[in-house]
Amino acid sequence: MSLIPSDLKYTRSHEWVRIEDNIITVGITEHAQSLLGDLVFVELPEVGEELSENEDASVVESVKAAADVYAPVSGTITEVNEALIEAPELVNQEPYGAGWIFKLEVDDEEGLAKLLDAQAYSNVITSEAH
Amino acid sequence: MPKKTILYQAHLDAGAKMIDFAGWSMPIYYGSQLNEHHAVRKRAGMFDVSHMTIIDLKGLDSQAFLRYLFANDVAKLKQAGRALYTCMLNREGYVLDDLIVYYLGETHYRIVFNAGTHDKVLAYLAEESKAFNIEYCERLEHAILAVQGPEARKLLAETFPENIAEKILNLKPFSAISVENMFIARTGYTGEDGVEMIVPNLEIEMLWHKLLFEKNIPACGLGARDTLRLEAGYNLYGTDMDETVSPLVSNLAWTVAWEPNERVFVGRKALEEEKQNLTQQLVGIKLLDKGVLRNGLAVHTNKGNGVITSGSYSPILECGIALARLPVDCDKAVQVDIRGRLLNALIVDLPFVNKEKK
């Protein structure tokens, strides 16, 4: 069973979201990294980039496949995890910690209400497995 | 339901993530694909490749039939156990499959070919062999285990009594021996030393566990197999060549035996015509910018566009690498279109990685 911390929010496209006031930190879940396998490249967004909800923000690439990471809500990129340029494997090793991908200043706080809690995300994974 | 090899449960026990591959449920990796890749380059790793097809072919016309069927010439094989890599072509000169054929005696050959072409090739053999005095059968009761890496043969030999160990250590490249119920060939698909072994289903699990637990040879999946073969510059049937291209535009011209001139083989006439006017080539390209190359990406050259046939990431070189079909005589500096951005790449000699370059 995948690790799904209960203090985070989630999307159906396997991003996790940590909410601190109007700044969110985004990464991909333990489940997503295990499906992708060893990551070898992360394409980060630009600081200052404005994104709308569900727009492509970043691309994570494993040996096996490339996957888009989407902006969970609309907003502006305030910080990106530059450590991933040299060490993309941090996403595999610590998906909820050192493997975070970007921070975003939220435009639309109502969008946050649509995010899934840990239980709802766990149900998404279970339903995909069948 | 996908088919399962005899080692299916052993894969699950080793923590494999299974995928469907050519109608088979096969391990893609067990933990880290990169670790599996490095294990093979540094020491040894093993792969269950039992999904591949084994055919034994016998009869008075065996040699004549295979000289007609294959683009390479089995008449080159004169010693028992010697192996030859070849393509099998259709009449247009396009590739029906690539395979290894072993010479086992005057009238006895063994052929090992891809899982994905199983039904097609068997139907083709049935049709083409009608005029020849041969018979053949599929060796379903056997598993195939590839043990690959600089220390693979030494570690494998340690698990056998001395007389057999010696034979494994003395095995010449591209040759095979039969010991007890096993057929051990010094061949592989990783660019490393090692063997591919055909073992009765009843005995494979014991060997697997011995190698895994006593010799600490890690199980490796199709993921590592793919990055290893790509670094070694080996083609994969179905992506780098198929029934729409010839060996001449697939970096496999070296496998076509033109001599002797009078040998008639399927596809020869078409190849002779194509040879007069080749417009494409399959080459290795290395990404200079950061990123990963993928199958199907467009490659821009000064002579027009080409396409990546197998793209991935080289764990040894730590950059994107690919095989690409490009216009002939184009400049070595090329660009790859990745998500709308043109990244710089370079045509390089194959293999990307060999025993000296790592």
Side-chain angles (χ1 to χ4, degrees):
Chain A
M1 194 58 223
S2 279
L3 186 64
I4 307 174
S6 58
D7 58 331
L8 301 177
K9 298 288 185 185
Y10 299 88
T11 67
R12 291 185 175 276
S13 47
H14 306 288
E15 289 89 6
W16 59 261
V17 179
R18 178 175 288 118
I19 305 171
E20 283 153 313
D21 300 325
N22 68 332
I23 304 280
I24 59 170
T25 307
V26 179
I28 63 167
T29 64
E30 149 77 17
H31 175 71
Q33 72 76 27
S34 89
L35 287 181
L36 282 165
D38 292 320
L39 290 195
V40 292
F41 178 64
V42 179
E43 192 178 295
L44 295 166
E46 304 268 343
V47 171
E49 206 175 322
E50 289 177 26
L51 296 166
S52 40
E53 185 180 319
N54 293 331
E55 192 177 343
D56 311 352
S58 162
V59 181
V60 290
E61 299 211 41
S62 69
V63 186
K64 192 169 73 175
D68 288 317
V69 182
Y70 302 101
V73 295
S74 62
T76 307
I77 300 287
T78 58
E79 201 180 333
V80 297
N81 186 359
E82 286 180 3
L84 301 182
I85 296 170
E86 289 309 316
E89 64 273 16
L90 288 172
V91 176
N92 297 111
Q93 291 160 359
E94 296 179 51
Y96 300 115
W100 66 277
I101 298 172
F102 58 85
K103 295 187 182 187
L104 183 113
E105 187 177 341
V106 177
D107 281 350
D108 164 29
E109 297 210 7
E110 282 172 25
L112 294 176
K114 288 189 277 183
L115 297 175
L116 308 174
D117 64 16
Q119 184 55 51
Y121 178 63
S122 167
N123 294 343
V124 169
I125 297 180
T126 313
S127 67
E128 281 184 3
H130 295 289
Chain B
M1 275 291 280
K3 290 182 267 189
K4 293 171 181 171
T5 74
I6 195 83
L7 287 170
Y8 179 78
Q9 188 56 46
H11 296 316
L12 297 186
D13 293 346
K17 186 168 284 284
M18 307 299 284
I19 56 156
D20 286 354
F21 178 81
W24 292 79
S25 179
M26 298 299 290
I28 179 148
Y29 44 74
Y30 298 80
S32 159
Q33 172 175 341
L34 292 177
N35 289 349
E36 292 166 21
H37 183 107
H38 287 297
V40 172
R41 289 273 178 256
K42 285 187 191 132
R43 182 172 172 267
M46 62 178 173
F47 305 80
D48 176 18
V49 287
S50 307
H51 58 310
M52 297 186 76
T53 311
I54 311 166
I55 295 282
D56 276 353
L57 189 131
K58 288 181 183 172
L60 285 177
D61 290 342
S62 295
Q63 196 200 51
F65 177 56
L66 296 182
R67 292 191 78 195
Y68 164 75
L69 204 65
F70 296 159
N72 210 337
D73 189 355
V74 297
K76 292 178 187 171
L77 302 173
K78 295 193 171 77
Q79 273 175 299
R82 293 293 296 180
L84 185 74
Y85 172 76
T86 182
C87 288
M88 184 161 61
L89 309 177
N90 61 20
R91 281 170 176 73
E92 287 75 47
Y94 298 151
V95 186
L96 282 173
D97 205 358
D98 68 332
L99 56 93
I100 291 183
V101 54
Y102 298 92
Y103 174 75
L104 301 183
E106 288 276 307
T107 57
H108 185 188
Y109 291 85
R110 171 166 288 177
I111 303 164
V112 180
F113 61 92
N114 290 297
T117 56
H118 174 274
D119 296 355
K120 175 181 87 175
V121 170
L122 284 179
Y124 182 71
L125 282 179
E127 186 58 34
E128 295 293 328
S129 63
K130 280 179 184 162
F132 293 87
N133 180 9
I134 59 145
E135 53 188 40
Y136 57 88
C137 65
E138 190 178 353
R139 303 301 302 267
L140 291 166
E141 73 289 10
H142 287 74
I144 314 179
L145 187 70
V147 189
Q148 300 277 301
E151 294 184 34
R153 282 191 304 136
K154 179 181 84 77
L155 292 166
L156 178 70
E158 287 169 8
T159 68
F160 285 98
E162 205 173 319
N163 59 328
I164 296 175
E166 201 175 320
K167 285 182 183 169
I168 294 171
L169 295 173
N170 290 335
L171 202 53
K172 298 231 168 15
F174 251 69
S175 50
I177 42 164
S178 292
V179 285
E180 297 180 339
N181 292 323
M182 282 176 278
F183 180 81
I184 306 177
R186 192 171 165 194
T187 53
Y189 195 45
T190 60
E192 293 297 329
D193 192 11
V195 297
E196 294 174 300
M197 315 173 63
I198 298 176
V199 182
N201 279 341
L202 290 172
E203 294 170 32
I204 189 67
E205 275 183 276
M206 210 169 79
L207 178 66
W208 172 271
H209 287 117
K210 213 182 237 184
L211 295 175
L212 189 63
F213 296 118
E214 288 177 23
K215 295 295 158 193
N216 292 315
I217 297 179
C220 302
L222 291 181
R225 187 168 159 84
D226 193 54
T227 48
L228 287 159
R229 70 93 191 167
L230 188 59
E231 281 187 345
Y234 294 144
N235 291 14
L236 173 64
Y237 187 77
T239 67
D240 299 308
M241 74 289 199
D242 57 22
E243 284 173 57
T244 65
V245 288
S246 81
L248 305 183
V249 297
S250 306
N251 195 30
L252 295 174
W254 63 276
T255 69
V256 178
W258 300 103
E259 304 289 335
N261 245 319
E262 61 276 15
R263 181 175 71 102
V264 174
F265 62 84
V266 180
R268 176 167 193 141
K269 214 161 153 264
L271 288 191
E272 279 172 348
E273 274 171 38
E274 190 189 17
K275 199 162 71 152
Q276 307 305 318
N277 182 30
L278 284 177
T279 57
Q280 292 182 305
Q281 56 176 341
L282 190 77
V283 295
I285 63 171
K286 192 171 144 176
L287 189 61
L288 301 175
D289 293 321
K290 277 195 167 256
V292 184
L293 297 175
R294 303 286 178 196
N295 300 14
L297 293 180
V299 182
H300 297 231
T301 82
N302 64 320
K303 301 273 176 168
N305 281 6
V307 66
I308 287 179
T309 55
S310 316
S312 190
Y313 174 84
S314 163
I316 295 292
L317 303 177
E318 299 187 324
C319 66
I321 57 170
L323 296 177
R325 188 163 281 111
L326 304 182
V328 289
D329 299 325
C330 66
D331 285 349
K332 291 208 180 307
V334 299
Q335 291 187 307
V336 184
D337 185 337
I338 301 186
R339 298 183 284 274
R341 286 197 304 166
L342 289 179
L343 301 188
N344 295 307
L346 195 64
I347 297 178
V348 296
D349 289 339
L350 294 173
F352 294 103
V353 174
N354 63 25
K355 293 181 189 81
E356 288 73 42
K357 288 198 280 189
K358 65 174 181 186

